[in-house]
Amino acid sequence: MASRITDVPEEWEVTATATPFQGNKTGVRTDDVVMPDGTVARRDYQTHPGSVAVVALDDQDRVLVLSQYRHPVREKLWEIPAGLLDVPGENPLHAAQRELYEEAHVKAEDWRVLVDVYTTPGGSDEAVRIFLAQELSEADGERFAVSEEEADMELARVPLAELVRGALAGELHNNCLVVGALSLSAALAGSGGLGALRPAGTPWPARPFEG
């Protein structure tokens, strides 16, 4: 029987650090890191506050997705609702509920943690918690006023099986959508089903939060 594997915290010595760029939300850090053989290597990486994303699954096994222009890749991508953790220590569940409301004007009664990932750990410290949201309904009140790229968003509800097919066919590329769809498909096929998923308030060492 194969042994269980798990990631473990570890921090190598940093002899010097600098921040050559700091933007509104993200920055670039340069660290001189001591390698196991004693040499020192310079590592540049993006600093990021962290993000949340939501796989919102309705009672017809459709996932709520949106199409949004992403300038760095020069494509309009199908994505799931997602956003930054704007406040240090912010509860990721509250942030996810906010993003689902702002981007789709939808609320959900049932929330679980689907999966936690580092998006590009070789070049960024961004951590994303992807939630599964169920028992969907339209949110109360007026729709959130969107602007910039979000003003051109298109919303749709797509069968989970079609998202999985599109991801494996190389037709869908947004990391949160691909990871979320494949993780949900795997969870549904597992022996414990969705009941085996972690509670929405599960601690998240990558981005600790209170309450």
Side-chain angles (χ1 to χ4, degrees):
M1 181 177 180
S3 60
R4 179 178 176 179
I5 64 170
T6 181
D7 297 335
V8 295
E10 183 165 323
E11 188 169 350
W12 293 359
E13 180 185 359
V14 174
T15 59
T17 188
T19 305
F21 170 77
Q22 181 60 54
N24 185 36
K25 296 295 183 182
T26 67
V28 173
R29 183 174 297 161
T30 298
D31 289 342
D32 291 342
V33 185
V34 180
M35 298 289 111
D37 63 0
T39 62
V40 176
R42 180 156 293 178
R43 295 290 179 260
D44 302 315
Y45 59 98
Q46 179 195 31
T47 58
H48 194 285
S51 306
V52 292
V54 185
V55 176
L57 184 69
D58 69 15
D59 56 7
Q60 298 180 51
D61 291 330
R62 299 176 304 178
V63 175
L64 193 156
V65 293
L66 52 94
S67 179
Q68 185 171 348
Y69 175 67
R70 293 302 188 183
H71 187 69
V73 297
R74 307 302 199 271
E75 288 190 28
K76 200 167 186 180
L77 302 179
W78 284 103
E79 307 179 351
I80 55 177
L84 298 177
L85 292 170
D86 294 321
V87 180
E90 181 178 16
N91 187 313
L93 174 59
H94 298 165
Q97 291 170 332
R98 179 186 68 237
E99 293 300 328
L100 186 60
Y101 160 71
E102 290 182 357
E103 295 190 349
H105 199 66
V106 166
K107 62 181 180 179
E109 299 301 322
D110 185 272
W111 290 82
R112 303 163 195 261
V113 175
L114 184 57
V115 67
D116 297 326
V117 295
Y118 292 115
T119 56
T120 49
S124 173
D125 67 356
E126 181 182 8
V128 180
R129 169 159 281 187
I130 303 177
F131 289 91
L132 171 64
Q134 297 180 94
E135 299 180 23
L136 310 181
S137 62
E138 186 173 354
D140 301 324
E142 296 183 1
R143 287 186 173 272
F144 182 79
V146 295
S147 60
E148 299 177 344
E149 291 94 341
E150 293 183 352
D152 189 45
M153 287 193 307
E154 176 185 352
L155 295 175
R157 296 194 182 205
V158 178
L160 173 62
E162 174 60 18
L163 295 181
V164 171
R165 186 209 62 78
L168 297 178
E171 298 169 359
L172 301 171
H173 305 93
N174 175 265
N175 62 341
C176 289
L177 184 150
V178 171
V179 171
L182 295 178
S183 297
L184 177 54
S185 182
L188 288 167
S191 58
L194 299 185
L197 294 175
R198 291 168 291 162
T202 298
W204 188 17
R207 293 295 185 273
F209 61 92
E210 297 181 4

